[in-house]
Amino acid sequence: MSETAIIHNRLPVLRAERGLSRKALAEALGVNYQTVGYLERGDYNPSLELALKLAAYFDLPVEMIFSLQPFTPLSRMAASGKGD
Amino acid sequence: MSETAIIHNRLPVLRAERGLSRKALAEALGVNYQTVGYLERGDYNPSLELALKLAAYFDLPVEMIFSLQPFTPLSRMAASGKGD
DNA sequence: ATGAAATGTTGTACATACGCAATATTTTGA
DNA sequence: TCAAAATATTGCGTATGTACAACATTTCAT
């Protein structure tokens, strides 16, 4: 597409919650461990395939992990009981 | 990633339901009209950005439009009342 | 039946996603 | 504190997503 949009993601939080290293997550997904780093830093966006695999891995909808709009912190969402 | 997986999609059905031409959908999404054709035919998968835009446009979760597993026809899902 | 709109096909070009390697820096645990 | 693990950085190679153009084929309304 024309201008590549920044896609916000909750990967660092989700990974932290489960105490996973990038290497461990990468292996579970079948990608290079550096790829996880690229994604977390926002160097580039995942392919749809990888996004679907991540969603399946974390058992969350894609939209809960990736969004065109900035995320509300999960801690705040949990406290208020409201989603985005 | 290693082998590029085939991602199944419900674009033709969704577009048919709303009586949209590819051109009209493409314009709503801000992409070339041929891109929609490529996606529907499975020539390639959309970027995550485009997938999120499509989901927003149709007001459906990404997983309802794209899946690593073949879809149950919507008609059958509607009849049984069960999802995938 | 005919012309217009929609869709399919082929080819070129470019940006981005991903792999892999090597090395630097930071964080962490014993 | 000090070594190991985790994370960051750079660079290079390949594959894929998207645009665009030109033309062929199919579908559809009148």
Side-chain angles (χ1 to χ4, degrees):
Chain A
M1 283 184 286
S2 33
E3 321 153 36
T4 299
I6 300 156
I7 299 186
H8 307 269
N9 76 77
R10 283 177 167 143
L11 289 181
V13 200
L14 295 174
R15 197 165 58 75
E17 275 193 334
R18 319 224 176 174
L20 283 170
S21 73
R22 288 185 183 165
K23 189 160 169 292
L25 177 55
E27 279 165 9
L29 297 167
V31 298
N32 193 280
Y33 81 97
Q34 291 171 319
T35 296
V36 176
Y38 287 136
L39 299 183
E40 292 192 359
R41 271 177 253 123
D43 281 2
Y44 52 67
N45 302 322
S47 64
L48 176 57
E49 182 184 353
L50 185 47
L52 287 173
K53 283 184 183 173
L54 278 160
Y57 180 84
F58 285 116
D59 195 27
L60 290 172
V62 171
E63 284 88 346
M64 191 94 190
I65 310 182
F66 298 100
S67 170
L68 295 170
Q69 311 297 335
F71 280 115
T72 298
L74 288 179
S75 51
R76 197 126 63 76
M77 280 183 52
S80 74
K82 295 179 192 169
D84 278 317
Chain B
M1 283 183 285
S2 32
E3 323 154 36
T4 300
I6 300 156
I7 299 186
H8 307 269
N9 76 79
R10 284 177 167 140
L11 289 181
V13 200
L14 296 174
R15 196 164 59 74
E17 275 193 334
R18 320 225 175 173
L20 284 170
S21 73
R22 288 184 184 167
K23 188 160 170 290
L25 177 56
E27 279 165 8
L29 297 167
V31 298
N32 192 278
Y33 82 98
Q34 291 171 321
T35 297
V36 176
Y38 288 135
L39 298 182
E40 292 192 359
R41 273 176 252 123
D43 280 1
Y44 53 66
N45 302 322
S47 64
L48 176 57
E49 181 185 354
L50 184 47
L52 287 172
K53 283 184 183 172
L54 278 160
Y57 180 83
F58 286 117
D59 194 27
L60 290 172
V62 171
E63 284 88 347
M64 191 92 189
I65 310 182
F66 299 100
S67 170
L68 295 169
Q69 311 298 334
F71 280 116
T72 299
L74 288 177
S75 51
R76 197 127 61 75
M77 280 184 52
S80 74
K82 295 180 194 169
D84 279 320

